[in-house]
Amino acid sequence: MQWLIDPSTSSKISRAILEEVKELAKQFQNKFQRIPAFMEVCGSHTMALARTGVKKALQDYIRLISGPGCPVCVTDQAAIDGMISLTHGDDRIICTFGDMMRVPGSYGTLMQAKSEGKDIRVVYSPIDAVRIAEQNQQKEVVFLGIGFETTIPILAAALKEAEENEVHNFSIWMSTKLTEPILRYLLNNKEVVLDGFLVPGHVSMVMGRKHFEFIAKEYHLPGVISGFEAVELLSSLRRLLMMTLEQNALVINDYQNVVSDEGNKYAKYWMNHYFSLCDESWRGIGIIAQSGMNIREEYRHFDAKEKFSIPMRSPRKTKCRCGEVIRGLIEPPECVLFGKACTPLNPIGPCMVSSEGSCAAYYQYMRED
Ligand code: SF4
């Protein structure tokens, strides 16, 4: 059996908490005649729960549902196709995080475009893309801005850098998403029964614990902000179970060495300085009002969508069910393509490509041989 791998703490502690969690889950089952269902909202939590063996160890006790927290996975097909079309001009260099390279568009991938000679570069930060723009002033340099509240402040830092250094050939193709609107969407639509949330650790680091209090105050469900090691995940699940058993709804910070009540005020200031709320389209869902951020009017000269006119084609339909996976409606093996036509080497949808995707996590750590 794959067992709890926890490099930072004793696996003995993890095993002890695991037994407590199982006991609390049994109490829940006795009380409510069903197993508890918690959603992890963050793609890094999805991967950590699978990698550490926590999800597998608890599969008969707790339904751990992967939510819409992988930025590549929630980006809709039309947006992915637009980004790939952007590479077609010869006057430009496209910069991106590595995860995007193999995401299937309707008519190819960034990797294929690169193999056809397009100048596409993987960078670790959008600020690297600003540097590339400074060194290549005869070209337009576009960074593909995909991400949640953890990425948006870094995009702001890149715009600040470009503005201060008067880098006019740099722009961002914005496709950012916000956590609160998608959680409200899920909670209002009640497509899945949920008893609480593992609240994302990294987004909370920026936005703060209080940002997520609406889960308890308005929807009367508990939430625990969790770290990413086995012992931290198990501790957070224990706290979630205790609150559900006591029918006590609070949003608790179980990641206190990283997350504060108010979050990172500096990061939030710069996010709001360069960006304002906009409607965004989510894979498998459609447009959710005010669920993303776009470049403010006064900085639109950094907006790639304003600089380049990209003809948008209708996305090609496939049997990929990523839209249902990210809403927690199905588990990856319920997709007929999982592990057959769709594997990490031959991905059909983004959830199999991304390092935070549910299908990739399931394929790598949960699949029965
Ligand atoms: Fe999409 Fe592949 Fe996941 Fe199916 S297994 S939902 S095709 S990524």
mmCIF file with all atom_site columns, all heavy atoms in Angstrom, residues 318-323 325 330 332-339 341-343 346-353 358-360, ligand 1:
data_model
loop_
_atom_site.group_PDB
_atom_site.id
_atom_site.type_symbol
_atom_site.label_atom_id
_atom_site.label_alt_id
_atom_site.label_comp_id
_atom_site.label_asym_id
_atom_site.label_entity_id
_atom_site.label_seq_id
_atom_site.pdbx_PDB_ins_code
_atom_site.Cartn_x
_atom_site.Cartn_y
_atom_site.Cartn_z
_atom_site.occupancy
_atom_site.B_iso_or_equiv
_atom_site.pdbx_formal_charge
_atom_site.auth_seq_id
_atom_site.auth_comp_id
_atom_site.auth_asym_id
_atom_site.auth_atom_id
_atom_site.pdbx_PDB_model_num
ATOM   1   N  N   . THR A 1 318 ? -14.634 17.851 -27.780 1.00 0.00 ? 318 THR A N   1
ATOM   2   C  CA  . THR A 1 318 ? -14.044 16.526 -27.546 1.00 0.00 ? 318 THR A CA  1
ATOM   3   C  C   . THR A 1 318 ? -14.871 15.834 -26.456 1.00 0.00 ? 318 THR A C   1
ATOM   4   O  O   . THR A 1 318 ? -15.791 16.435 -25.897 1.00 0.00 ? 318 THR A O   1
ATOM   5   C  CB  . THR A 1 318 ? -12.587 16.626 -27.046 1.00 0.00 ? 318 THR A CB  1
ATOM   6   O  OG1 . THR A 1 318 ? -12.601 17.126 -25.706 1.00 0.00 ? 318 THR A OG1 1
ATOM   7   C  CG2 . THR A 1 318 ? -11.743 17.511 -27.927 1.00 0.00 ? 318 THR A CG2 1
ATOM   8   N  N   . LYS A 1 319 ? -14.487 14.590 -26.140 1.00 0.00 ? 319 LYS A N   1
ATOM   9   C  CA  . LYS A 1 319 ? -15.212 13.883 -25.074 1.00 0.00 ? 319 LYS A CA  1
ATOM   10  C  C   . LYS A 1 319 ? -14.606 14.179 -23.695 1.00 0.00 ? 319 LYS A C   1
ATOM   11  O  O   . LYS A 1 319 ? -14.984 13.563 -22.703 1.00 0.00 ? 319 LYS A O   1
ATOM   12  C  CB  . LYS A 1 319 ? -15.167 12.381 -25.338 1.00 0.00 ? 319 LYS A CB  1
ATOM   13  C  CG  . LYS A 1 319 ? -16.090 11.964 -26.467 1.00 0.00 ? 319 LYS A CG  1
ATOM   14  C  CD  . LYS A 1 319 ? -16.091 10.464 -26.620 1.00 0.00 ? 319 LYS A CD  1
ATOM   15  C  CE  . LYS A 1 319 ? -17.000 10.036 -27.758 1.00 0.00 ? 319 LYS A CE  1
ATOM   16  N  NZ  . LYS A 1 319 ? -16.743 8.670  -28.172 1.00 0.00 ? 319 LYS A NZ  1
ATOM   17  N  N   . CYS A 1 320 ? -13.630 15.081 -23.655 1.00 0.00 ? 320 CYS A N   1
ATOM   18  C  CA  . CYS A 1 320 ? -12.984 15.426 -22.385 1.00 0.00 ? 320 CYS A CA  1
ATOM   19  C  C   . CYS A 1 320 ? -14.025 15.966 -21.404 1.00 0.00 ? 320 CYS A C   1
ATOM   20  O  O   . CYS A 1 320 ? -14.868 16.790 -21.763 1.00 0.00 ? 320 CYS A O   1
ATOM   21  C  CB  . CYS A 1 320 ? -11.915 16.481 -22.644 1.00 0.00 ? 320 CYS A CB  1
ATOM   22  S  SG  . CYS A 1 320 ? -11.236 17.171 -21.139 1.00 0.00 ? 320 CYS A SG  1
ATOM   23  N  N   . ARG A 1 321 ? -13.947 15.524 -20.138 1.00 0.00 ? 321 ARG A N   1
ATOM   24  C  CA  . ARG A 1 321 ? -14.933 15.941 -19.131 1.00 0.00 ? 321 ARG A CA  1
ATOM   25  C  C   . ARG A 1 321 ? -14.298 16.798 -18.037 1.00 0.00 ? 321 ARG A C   1
ATOM   26  O  O   . ARG A 1 321 ? -14.762 16.815 -16.904 1.00 0.00 ? 321 ARG A O   1
ATOM   27  C  CB  . ARG A 1 321 ? -15.614 14.697 -18.554 1.00 0.00 ? 321 ARG A CB  1
ATOM   28  C  CG  . ARG A 1 321 ? -16.401 13.939 -19.621 1.00 0.00 ? 321 ARG A CG  1
ATOM   29  C  CD  . ARG A 1 321 ? -17.078 12.701 -19.063 1.00 0.00 ? 321 ARG A CD  1
ATOM   30  N  NE  . ARG A 1 321 ? -18.194 13.023 -18.199 1.00 0.00 ? 321 ARG A NE  1
ATOM   31  C  CZ  . ARG A 1 321 ? -18.889 12.123 -17.508 1.00 0.00 ? 321 ARG A CZ  1
ATOM   32  N  NH1 . ARG A 1 321 ? -18.579 10.847 -17.600 1.00 0.00 ? 321 ARG A NH1 1
ATOM   33  N  NH2 . ARG A 1 321 ? -19.885 12.481 -16.721 1.00 0.00 ? 321 ARG A NH2 1
ATOM   34  N  N   . CYS A 1 322 ? -13.225 17.519 -18.420 1.00 0.00 ? 322 CYS A N   1
ATOM   35  C  CA  . CYS A 1 322 ? -12.547 18.375 -17.426 1.00 0.00 ? 322 CYS A CA  1
ATOM   36  C  C   . CYS A 1 322 ? -13.524 19.349 -16.760 1.00 0.00 ? 322 CYS A C   1
ATOM   37  O  O   . CYS A 1 322 ? -13.386 19.647 -15.571 1.00 0.00 ? 322 CYS A O   1
ATOM   38  C  CB  . CYS A 1 322 ? -11.424 19.177 -18.077 1.00 0.00 ? 322 CYS A CB  1
ATOM   39  S  SG  . CYS A 1 322 ? -9.915  18.232 -18.327 1.00 0.00 ? 322 CYS A SG  1
ATOM   40  N  N   . GLY A 1 323 ? -14.494 19.840 -17.550 1.00 0.00 ? 323 GLY A N   1
ATOM   41  C  CA  . GLY A 1 323 ? -15.470 20.790 -16.991 1.00 0.00 ? 323 GLY A CA  1
ATOM   42  C  C   . GLY A 1 323 ? -16.212 20.202 -15.802 1.00 0.00 ? 323 GLY A C   1
ATOM   43  O  O   . GLY A 1 323 ? -16.498 20.905 -14.822 1.00 0.00 ? 323 GLY A O   1
ATOM   44  N  N   . VAL A 1 325 ? -15.000 17.566 -14.005 1.00 0.00 ? 325 VAL A N   1
ATOM   45  C  CA  . VAL A 1 325 ? -13.986 17.237 -12.988 1.00 0.00 ? 325 VAL A CA  1
ATOM   46  C  C   . VAL A 1 325 ? -13.753 18.444 -12.085 1.00 0.00 ? 325 VAL A C   1
ATOM   47  O  O   . VAL A 1 325 ? -13.749 18.331 -10.860 1.00 0.00 ? 325 VAL A O   1
ATOM   48  C  CB  . VAL A 1 325 ? -12.659 16.780 -13.650 1.00 0.00 ? 325 VAL A CB  1
ATOM   49  C  CG1 . VAL A 1 325 ? -11.549 16.648 -12.621 1.00 0.00 ? 325 VAL A CG1 1
ATOM   50  C  CG2 . VAL A 1 325 ? -12.853 15.449 -14.379 1.00 0.00 ? 325 VAL A CG2 1
ATOM   51  N  N   . ILE A 1 330 ? -17.571 14.676 -11.177 1.00 0.00 ? 330 ILE A N   1
ATOM   52  C  CA  . ILE A 1 330 ? -17.082 13.309 -11.440 1.00 0.00 ? 330 ILE A CA  1
ATOM   53  C  C   . ILE A 1 330 ? -15.630 13.187 -10.976 1.00 0.00 ? 330 ILE A C   1
ATOM   54  O  O   . ILE A 1 330 ? -14.911 14.184 -10.863 1.00 0.00 ? 330 ILE A O   1
ATOM   55  C  CB  . ILE A 1 330 ? -17.164 12.905 -12.938 1.00 0.00 ? 330 ILE A CB  1
ATOM   56  C  CG1 . ILE A 1 330 ? -16.265 13.806 -13.814 1.00 0.00 ? 330 ILE A CG1 1
ATOM   57  C  CG2 . ILE A 1 330 ? -18.590 12.914 -13.441 1.00 0.00 ? 330 ILE A CG2 1
ATOM   58  C  CD1 . ILE A 1 330 ? -15.993 13.229 -15.193 1.00 0.00 ? 330 ILE A CD1 1
ATOM   59  N  N   . PRO A 1 332 ? -11.878 11.592 -11.962 1.00 0.00 ? 332 PRO A N   1
ATOM   60  C  CA  . PRO A 1 332 ? -11.226 11.365 -13.271 1.00 0.00 ? 332 PRO A CA  1
ATOM   61  C  C   . PRO A 1 332 ? -11.525 10.004 -13.918 1.00 0.00 ? 332 PRO A C   1
ATOM   62  O  O   . PRO A 1 332 ? -11.805 9.961  -15.127 1.00 0.00 ? 332 PRO A O   1
ATOM   63  C  CB  . PRO A 1 332 ? -9.743  11.544 -12.948 1.00 0.00 ? 332 PRO A CB  1
ATOM   64  C  CG  . PRO A 1 332 ? -9.753  12.560 -11.852 1.00 0.00 ? 332 PRO A CG  1
ATOM   65  C  CD  . PRO A 1 332 ? -10.956 12.238 -11.003 1.00 0.00 ? 332 PRO A CD  1
ATOM   66  N  N   . PRO A 1 333 ? -11.522 8.872  -13.180 1.00 0.00 ? 333 PRO A N   1
ATOM   67  C  CA  . PRO A 1 333 ? -11.758 7.590  -13.877 1.00 0.00 ? 333 PRO A CA  1
ATOM   68  C  C   . PRO A 1 333 ? -13.154 7.471  -14.493 1.00 0.00 ? 333 PRO A C   1
ATOM   69  O  O   . PRO A 1 333 ? -13.391 6.581  -15.306 1.00 0.00 ? 333 PRO A O   1
ATOM   70  C  CB  . PRO A 1 333 ? -11.575 6.544  -12.771 1.00 0.00 ? 333 PRO A CB  1
ATOM   71  C  CG  . PRO A 1 333 ? -10.776 7.226  -11.731 1.00 0.00 ? 333 PRO A CG  1
ATOM   72  C  CD  . PRO A 1 333 ? -11.179 8.664  -11.784 1.00 0.00 ? 333 PRO A CD  1
ATOM   73  N  N   . GLU A 1 334 ? -14.073 8.364  -14.112 1.00 0.00 ? 334 GLU A N   1
ATOM   74  C  CA  . GLU A 1 334 ? -15.411 8.326  -14.718 1.00 0.00 ? 334 GLU A CA  1
ATOM   75  C  C   . GLU A 1 334 ? -15.399 8.857  -16.151 1.00 0.00 ? 334 GLU A C   1
ATOM   76  O  O   . GLU A 1 334 ? -16.378 8.692  -16.882 1.00 0.00 ? 334 GLU A O   1
ATOM   77  C  CB  . GLU A 1 334 ? -16.412 9.114  -13.871 1.00 0.00 ? 334 GLU A CB  1
ATOM   78  C  CG  . GLU A 1 334 ? -16.711 8.433  -12.539 1.00 0.00 ? 334 GLU A CG  1
ATOM   79  C  CD  . GLU A 1 334 ? -17.613 9.274  -11.657 1.00 0.00 ? 334 GLU A CD  1
ATOM   80  O  OE1 . GLU A 1 334 ? -18.782 9.484  -12.025 1.00 0.00 ? 334 GLU A OE1 1
ATOM   81  O  OE2 . GLU A 1 334 ? -17.131 9.730  -10.604 1.00 0.00 ? 334 GLU A OE2 1
ATOM   82  N  N   . CYS A 1 335 ? -14.316 9.511  -16.555 1.00 0.00 ? 335 CYS A N   1
ATOM   83  C  CA  . CYS A 1 335 ? -14.171 9.928  -17.952 1.00 0.00 ? 335 CYS A CA  1
ATOM   84  C  C   . CYS A 1 335 ? -13.701 8.707  -18.743 1.00 0.00 ? 335 CYS A C   1
ATOM   85  O  O   . CYS A 1 335 ? -12.712 8.061  -18.371 1.00 0.00 ? 335 CYS A O   1
ATOM   86  C  CB  . CYS A 1 335 ? -13.145 11.060 -18.054 1.00 0.00 ? 335 CYS A CB  1
ATOM   87  S  SG  . CYS A 1 335 ? -12.699 11.447 -19.754 1.00 0.00 ? 335 CYS A SG  1
ATOM   88  N  N   . VAL A 1 336 ? -14.392 8.404  -19.842 1.00 0.00 ? 336 VAL A N   1
ATOM   89  C  CA  . VAL A 1 336 ? -14.046 7.182  -20.593 1.00 0.00 ? 336 VAL A CA  1
ATOM   90  C  C   . VAL A 1 336 ? -12.639 7.240  -21.201 1.00 0.00 ? 336 VAL A C   1
ATOM   91  O  O   . VAL A 1 336 ? -12.054 6.218  -21.531 1.00 0.00 ? 336 VAL A O   1
ATOM   92  C  CB  . VAL A 1 336 ? -15.043 6.871  -21.738 1.00 0.00 ? 336 VAL A CB  1
ATOM   93  C  CG1 . VAL A 1 336 ? -16.365 6.427  -21.208 1.00 0.00 ? 336 VAL A CG1 1
ATOM   94  C  CG2 . VAL A 1 336 ? -15.198 8.054  -22.671 1.00 0.00 ? 336 VAL A CG2 1
ATOM   95  N  N   . LEU A 1 337 ? -12.110 8.436  -21.328 1.00 0.00 ? 337 LEU A N   1
ATOM   96  C  CA  . LEU A 1 337 ? -10.789 8.582  -21.951 1.00 0.00 ? 337 LEU A CA  1
ATOM   97  C  C   . LEU A 1 337 ? -9.646  8.399  -20.953 1.00 0.00 ? 337 LEU A C   1
ATOM   98  O  O   . LEU A 1 337 ? -8.498  8.181  -21.347 1.00 0.00 ? 337 LEU A O   1
ATOM   99  C  CB  . LEU A 1 337 ? -10.665 9.965  -22.606 1.00 0.00 ? 337 LEU A CB  1
ATOM   100 C  CG  . LEU A 1 337 ? -11.753 10.326 -23.621 1.00 0.00 ? 337 LEU A CG  1
ATOM   101 C  CD1 . LEU A 1 337 ? -11.538 11.738 -24.156 1.00 0.00 ? 337 LEU A CD1 1
ATOM   102 C  CD2 . LEU A 1 337 ? -11.755 9.339  -24.781 1.00 0.00 ? 337 LEU A CD2 1
ATOM   103 N  N   . PHE A 1 338 ? -9.972  8.461  -19.653 1.00 0.00 ? 338 PHE A N   1
ATOM   104 C  CA  . PHE A 1 338 ? -8.943  8.431  -18.608 1.00 0.00 ? 338 PHE A CA  1
ATOM   105 C  C   . PHE A 1 338 ? -8.085  7.165  -18.701 1.00 0.00 ? 338 PHE A C   1
ATOM   106 O  O   . PHE A 1 338 ? -8.601  6.036  -18.681 1.00 0.00 ? 338 PHE A O   1
ATOM   107 C  CB  . PHE A 1 338 ? -9.598  8.503  -17.220 1.00 0.00 ? 338 PHE A CB  1
ATOM   108 C  CG  . PHE A 1 338 ? -8.609  8.413  -16.085 1.00 0.00 ? 338 PHE A CG  1
ATOM   109 C  CD1 . PHE A 1 338 ? -7.916  9.533  -15.655 1.00 0.00 ? 338 PHE A CD1 1
ATOM   110 C  CD2 . PHE A 1 338 ? -8.351  7.197  -15.455 1.00 0.00 ? 338 PHE A CD2 1
ATOM   111 C  CE1 . PHE A 1 338 ? -6.992  9.456  -14.620 1.00 0.00 ? 338 PHE A CE1 1
ATOM   112 C  CE2 . PHE A 1 338 ? -7.424  7.106  -14.420 1.00 0.00 ? 338 PHE A CE2 1
ATOM   113 C  CZ  . PHE A 1 338 ? -6.744  8.241  -14.007 1.00 0.00 ? 338 PHE A CZ  1
ATOM   114 N  N   . GLY A 1 339 ? -6.769  7.378  -18.798 1.00 0.00 ? 339 GLY A N   1
ATOM   115 C  CA  . GLY A 1 339 ? -5.830  6.251  -18.787 1.00 0.00 ? 339 GLY A CA  1
ATOM   116 C  C   . GLY A 1 339 ? -5.823  5.435  -20.063 1.00 0.00 ? 339 GLY A C   1
ATOM   117 O  O   . GLY A 1 339 ? -5.027  4.506  -20.184 1.00 0.00 ? 339 GLY A O   1
ATOM   118 N  N   . ALA A 1 341 ? -7.245  6.766  -23.942 1.00 0.00 ? 341 ALA A N   1
ATOM   119 C  CA  . ALA A 1 341 ? -6.832  7.765  -24.937 1.00 0.00 ? 341 ALA A CA  1
ATOM   120 C  C   . ALA A 1 341 ? -6.112  8.934  -24.268 1.00 0.00 ? 341 ALA A C   1
ATOM   121 O  O   . ALA A 1 341 ? -5.296  9.613  -24.899 1.00 0.00 ? 341 ALA A O   1
ATOM   122 C  CB  . ALA A 1 341 ? -8.060  8.260  -25.690 1.00 0.00 ? 341 ALA A CB  1
ATOM   123 N  N   . CYS A 1 342 ? -6.416  9.192  -22.994 1.00 0.00 ? 342 CYS A N   1
ATOM   124 C  CA  . CYS A 1 342 ? -5.854  10.364 -22.310 1.00 0.00 ? 342 CYS A CA  1
ATOM   125 C  C   . CYS A 1 342 ? -4.885  9.932  -21.201 1.00 0.00 ? 342 CYS A C   1
ATOM   126 O  O   . CYS A 1 342 ? -5.301  9.322  -20.210 1.00 0.00 ? 342 CYS A O   1
ATOM   127 C  CB  . CYS A 1 342 ? -6.990  11.209 -21.728 1.00 0.00 ? 342 CYS A CB  1
ATOM   128 S  SG  . CYS A 1 342 ? -6.407  12.712 -20.929 1.00 0.00 ? 342 CYS A SG  1
ATOM   129 N  N   . THR A 1 343 ? -3.623  10.224 -21.392 1.00 0.00 ? 343 THR A N   1
ATOM   130 C  CA  . THR A 1 343 ? -2.576  9.931  -20.406 1.00 0.00 ? 343 THR A CA  1
ATOM   131 C  C   . THR A 1 343 ? -1.656  11.158 -20.337 1.00 0.00 ? 343 THR A C   1
ATOM   132 O  O   . THR A 1 343 ? -1.727  12.022 -21.210 1.00 0.00 ? 343 THR A O   1
ATOM   133 C  CB  . THR A 1 343 ? -1.737  8.710  -20.828 1.00 0.00 ? 343 THR A CB  1
ATOM   134 O  OG1 . THR A 1 343 ? -1.070  9.053  -22.052 1.00 0.00 ? 343 THR A OG1 1
ATOM   135 C  CG2 . THR A 1 343 ? -2.569  7.456  -21.037 1.00 0.00 ? 343 THR A CG2 1
ATOM   136 N  N   . ASN A 1 346 ? -0.070  11.686 -23.573 1.00 0.00 ? 346 ASN A N   1
ATOM   137 C  CA  . ASN A 1 346 ? -0.967  12.051 -24.663 1.00 0.00 ? 346 ASN A CA  1
ATOM   138 C  C   . ASN A 1 346 ? -2.229  12.670 -24.069 1.00 0.00 ? 346 ASN A C   1
ATOM   139 O  O   . ASN A 1 346 ? -3.306  12.085 -24.106 1.00 0.00 ? 346 ASN A O   1
ATOM   140 C  CB  . ASN A 1 346 ? -1.332  10.797 -25.482 1.00 0.00 ? 346 ASN A CB  1
ATOM   141 C  CG  . ASN A 1 346 ? -2.251  11.137 -26.635 1.00 0.00 ? 346 ASN A CG  1
ATOM   142 O  OD1 . ASN A 1 346 ? -2.143  12.221 -27.217 1.00 0.00 ? 346 ASN A OD1 1
ATOM   143 N  ND2 . ASN A 1 346 ? -3.196  10.266 -26.944 1.00 0.00 ? 346 ASN A ND2 1
ATOM   144 N  N   . PRO A 1 347 ? -2.100  13.862 -23.472 1.00 0.00 ? 347 PRO A N   1
ATOM   145 C  CA  . PRO A 1 347 ? -3.257  14.442 -22.778 1.00 0.00 ? 347 PRO A CA  1
ATOM   146 C  C   . PRO A 1 347 ? -4.313  14.957 -23.749 1.00 0.00 ? 347 PRO A C   1
ATOM   147 O  O   . PRO A 1 347 ? -3.981  15.545 -24.773 1.00 0.00 ? 347 PRO A O   1
ATOM   148 C  CB  . PRO A 1 347 ? -2.639  15.608 -21.993 1.00 0.00 ? 347 PRO A CB  1
ATOM   149 C  CG  . PRO A 1 347 ? -1.416  15.973 -22.752 1.00 0.00 ? 347 PRO A CG  1
ATOM   150 C  CD  . PRO A 1 347 ? -0.914  14.728 -23.418 1.00 0.00 ? 347 PRO A CD  1
ATOM   151 N  N   . ILE A 1 348 ? -5.575  14.719 -23.385 1.00 0.00 ? 348 ILE A N   1
ATOM   152 C  CA  . ILE A 1 348 ? -6.673  15.245 -24.204 1.00 0.00 ? 348 ILE A CA  1
ATOM   153 C  C   . ILE A 1 348 ? -7.198  16.540 -23.583 1.00 0.00 ? 348 ILE A C   1
ATOM   154 O  O   . ILE A 1 348 ? -7.688  17.421 -24.273 1.00 0.00 ? 348 ILE A O   1
ATOM   155 C  CB  . ILE A 1 348 ? -7.844  14.224 -24.292 1.00 0.00 ? 348 ILE A CB  1
ATOM   156 C  CG1 . ILE A 1 348 ? -7.340  12.863 -24.783 1.00 0.00 ? 348 ILE A CG1 1
ATOM   157 C  CG2 . ILE A 1 348 ? -8.977  14.738 -25.170 1.00 0.00 ? 348 ILE A CG2 1
ATOM   158 C  CD1 . ILE A 1 348 ? -6.960  12.793 -26.233 1.00 0.00 ? 348 ILE A CD1 1
ATOM   159 N  N   . GLY A 1 349 ? -7.108  16.645 -22.277 1.00 0.00 ? 349 GLY A N   1
ATOM   160 C  CA  . GLY A 1 349 ? -7.608  17.844 -21.599 1.00 0.00 ? 349 GLY A CA  1
ATOM   161 C  C   . GLY A 1 349 ? -6.581  18.404 -20.631 1.00 0.00 ? 349 GLY A C   1
ATOM   162 O  O   . GLY A 1 349 ? -5.615  17.723 -20.267 1.00 0.00 ? 349 GLY A O   1
ATOM   163 N  N   . PRO A 1 350 ? -6.786  19.636 -20.158 1.00 0.00 ? 350 PRO A N   1
ATOM   164 C  CA  . PRO A 1 350 ? -5.793  20.289 -19.299 1.00 0.00 ? 350 PRO A CA  1
ATOM   165 C  C   . PRO A 1 350 ? -5.621  19.616 -17.946 1.00 0.00 ? 350 PRO A C   1
ATOM   166 O  O   . PRO A 1 350 ? -4.542  19.693 -17.352 1.00 0.00 ? 350 PRO A O   1
ATOM   167 C  CB  . PRO A 1 350 ? -6.346  21.711 -19.138 1.00 0.00 ? 350 PRO A CB  1
ATOM   168 C  CG  . PRO A 1 350 ? -7.803  21.607 -19.441 1.00 0.00 ? 350 PRO A CG  1
ATOM   169 C  CD  . PRO A 1 350 ? -7.936  20.515 -20.452 1.00 0.00 ? 350 PRO A CD  1
ATOM   170 N  N   . CYS A 1 351 ? -6.680  18.948 -17.438 1.00 0.00 ? 351 CYS A N   1
ATOM   171 C  CA  . CYS A 1 351 ? -6.561  18.316 -16.108 1.00 0.00 ? 351 CYS A CA  1
ATOM   172 C  C   . CYS A 1 351 ? -5.538  17.175 -16.106 1.00 0.00 ? 351 CYS A C   1
ATOM   173 O  O   . CYS A 1 351 ? -5.090  16.745 -15.050 1.00 0.00 ? 351 CYS A O   1
ATOM   174 C  CB  . CYS A 1 351 ? -7.911  17.773 -15.652 1.00 0.00 ? 351 CYS A CB  1
ATOM   175 S  SG  . CYS A 1 351 ? -9.162  19.024 -15.448 1.00 0.00 ? 351 CYS A SG  1
ATOM   176 N  N   . MET A 1 352 ? -5.167  16.677 -17.299 1.00 0.00 ? 352 MET A N   1
ATOM   177 C  CA  . MET A 1 352 ? -4.152  15.615 -17.373 1.00 0.00 ? 352 MET A CA  1
ATOM   178 C  C   . MET A 1 352 ? -2.756  16.194 -17.600 1.00 0.00 ? 352 MET A C   1
ATOM   179 O  O   . MET A 1 352 ? -1.760  15.517 -17.414 1.00 0.00 ? 352 MET A O   1
ATOM   180 C  CB  . MET A 1 352 ? -4.517  14.642 -18.504 1.00 0.00 ? 352 MET A CB  1
ATOM   181 C  CG  . MET A 1 352 ? -3.686  13.386 -18.566 1.00 0.00 ? 352 MET A CG  1
ATOM   182 S  SD  . MET A 1 352 ? -3.767  12.382 -17.064 1.00 0.00 ? 352 MET A SD  1
ATOM   183 C  CE  . MET A 1 352 ? -5.090  11.232 -17.454 1.00 0.00 ? 352 MET A CE  1
ATOM   184 N  N   . VAL A 1 353 ? -2.690  17.480 -17.979 1.00 0.00 ? 353 VAL A N   1
ATOM   185 C  CA  . VAL A 1 353 ? -1.397  18.084 -18.280 1.00 0.00 ? 353 VAL A CA  1
ATOM   186 C  C   . VAL A 1 353 ? -0.816  18.785 -17.069 1.00 0.00 ? 353 VAL A C   1
ATOM   187 O  O   . VAL A 1 353 ? 0.365   18.678 -16.758 1.00 0.00 ? 353 VAL A O   1
ATOM   188 C  CB  . VAL A 1 353 ? -1.544  19.159 -19.392 1.00 0.00 ? 353 VAL A CB  1
ATOM   189 C  CG1 . VAL A 1 353 ? -0.184  19.744 -19.739 1.00 0.00 ? 353 VAL A CG1 1
ATOM   190 C  CG2 . VAL A 1 353 ? -2.202  18.595 -20.608 1.00 0.00 ? 353 VAL A CG2 1
ATOM   191 N  N   . SER A 1 358 ? -6.422  17.427 -11.547 1.00 0.00 ? 358 SER A N   1
ATOM   192 C  CA  . SER A 1 358 ? -6.985  16.259 -10.864 1.00 0.00 ? 358 SER A CA  1
ATOM   193 C  C   . SER A 1 358 ? -6.690  14.965 -11.605 1.00 0.00 ? 358 SER A C   1
ATOM   194 O  O   . SER A 1 358 ? -6.389  13.943 -10.993 1.00 0.00 ? 358 SER A O   1
ATOM   195 C  CB  . SER A 1 358 ? -8.508  16.360 -10.761 1.00 0.00 ? 358 SER A CB  1
ATOM   196 O  OG  . SER A 1 358 ? -8.854  17.502 -10.101 1.00 0.00 ? 358 SER A OG  1
ATOM   197 N  N   . CYS A 1 359 ? -6.822  15.007 -12.941 1.00 0.00 ? 359 CYS A N   1
ATOM   198 C  CA  . CYS A 1 359 ? -6.623  13.773 -13.703 1.00 0.00 ? 359 CYS A CA  1
ATOM   199 C  C   . CYS A 1 359 ? -5.158  13.338 -13.622 1.00 0.00 ? 359 CYS A C   1
ATOM   200 O  O   . CYS A 1 359 ? -4.863  12.146 -13.491 1.00 0.00 ? 359 CYS A O   1
ATOM   201 C  CB  . CYS A 1 359 ? -7.064  13.964 -15.154 1.00 0.00 ? 359 CYS A CB  1
ATOM   202 S  SG  . CYS A 1 359 ? -8.820  14.355 -15.280 1.00 0.00 ? 359 CYS A SG  1
ATOM   203 N  N   . ALA A 1 360 ? -4.243  14.307 -13.676 1.00 0.00 ? 360 ALA A N   1
ATOM   204 C  CA  . ALA A 1 360 ? -2.815  13.982 -13.562 1.00 0.00 ? 360 ALA A CA  1
ATOM   205 C  C   . ALA A 1 360 ? -2.526  13.404 -12.172 1.00 0.00 ? 360 ALA A C   1
ATOM   206 O  O   . ALA A 1 360 ? -1.790  12.412 -12.044 1.00 0.00 ? 360 ALA A O   1
ATOM   207 C  CB  . ALA A 1 360 ? -1.974  15.231 -13.813 1.00 0.00 ? 360 ALA A CB  1
HETATM 208 FE FE1 . SF4 B 2 .   ? -10.191 15.379 -19.822 1.00 0.00 ? 1   SF4 B FE1 1
HETATM 209 FE FE2 . SF4 B 2 .   ? -8.377  13.413 -19.913 1.00 0.00 ? 1   SF4 B FE2 1
HETATM 210 FE FE3 . SF4 B 2 .   ? -9.383  14.140 -17.598 1.00 0.00 ? 1   SF4 B FE3 1
HETATM 211 FE FE4 . SF4 B 2 .   ? -10.904 12.859 -19.360 1.00 0.00 ? 1   SF4 B FE4 1
HETATM 212 S  S1  . SF4 B 2 .   ? -9.113  12.031 -18.312 1.00 0.00 ? 1   SF4 B S1  1
HETATM 213 S  S2  . SF4 B 2 .   ? -11.477 14.638 -18.130 1.00 0.00 ? 1   SF4 B S2  1
HETATM 214 S  S3  . SF4 B 2 .   ? -10.093 13.668 -21.278 1.00 0.00 ? 1   SF4 B S3  1
HETATM 215 S  S4  . SF4 B 2 .   ? -8.125  15.399 -18.946 1.00 0.00 ? 1   SF4 B S4  1
#
